[in-house]
Amino acid sequence: MHPFHLAFPVGNLDAAKVFYFEVLGCKPGRESAGHWFDFDLFGHQMSAHLQTDAPQPHQMLGEVAGDCVPIPHFGVVLDIETFDKLADRLARNPDTDWILRPKKRMQGEPGEQVTMFVRDPSGNALEFKGFAEQASLFAM
């Protein structure tokens, strides 16, 4: 699989660094002090760009398997063990802004998965999914 790249706005670079580096455990990459920083999100290149005058992300809601989920959102598909470790890490952080706590959905169906949603300090919504079998990612 090829690494994905996403650039997205944040309102405070320092708060974003704490969230992505300390809370999620991402490895830092290049940066332009005061403007943006890159980081490794499970092998994907992410770029947080300072946008102090940008409005808060407008979040619409979509329905997936009975849950209301924010749109837009981004995230990573993980194996179950990595998902569980990240879920534990987020659960231990008292400042985690949960949208949807870890849960299993589509149980017994193609695409069965565990999922969780959190917000970063700028209001960006992230989803992390876990699949026992990566092949079921696109199962119908």
Side-chain angles (χ1 to χ4, degrees):
M1 186 173 289
H2 299 282
F4 185 79
H5 168 71
L6 176 68
F8 61 97
V10 297
N12 181 305
L13 288 173
D14 292 332
K17 285 179 179 180
V18 168
F19 178 77
Y20 289 101
F21 300 162
E22 296 177 21
V23 176
L24 292 183
C26 299
K27 295 177 187 166
R30 293 181 301 274
E31 73 176 279
S32 175
H35 300 285
W36 57 267
F37 66 91
D38 287 347
F39 60 96
D40 176 344
L41 182 67
F42 296 96
H44 301 282
Q45 184 196 40
M46 309 299 284
S47 297
H49 289 259
L50 182 62
Q51 296 289 314
T52 56
D53 59 348
Q56 283 283 18
H58 176 68
Q59 302 273 303
M60 298 183 302
L61 295 176
E63 189 271 331
V64 177
D67 293 317
C68 288
V69 300
I71 300 173
H73 64 264
F74 63 90
V76 180
V77 176
L78 306 167
D79 59 71
I80 298 295
E81 181 181 343
T82 305
F83 177 92
D84 288 343
K85 287 179 184 176
L86 180 60
D88 288 343
R89 183 182 186 114
L90 288 167
R92 287 191 311 270
N93 180 354
D95 297 323
T96 296
D97 185 1
W98 291 102
I99 298 169
L100 180 66
R101 291 186 180 269
K103 66 177 285 186
K104 186 177 278 190
R105 69 174 165 206
M106 300 178 200
Q107 194 162 357
E109 299 176 25
E112 179 177 296
Q113 61 192 261
V114 288
T115 186
M116 62 183 159
F117 283 82
V118 297
R119 286 193 205 286
D120 75 6
S122 295
N124 295 301
L126 289 86
E127 178 184 20
F128 296 95
K129 296 180 181 189
F131 284 85
E133 298 290 331
Q134 290 289 334
S136 65
L137 179 63
F138 297 109
M140 298 178 69

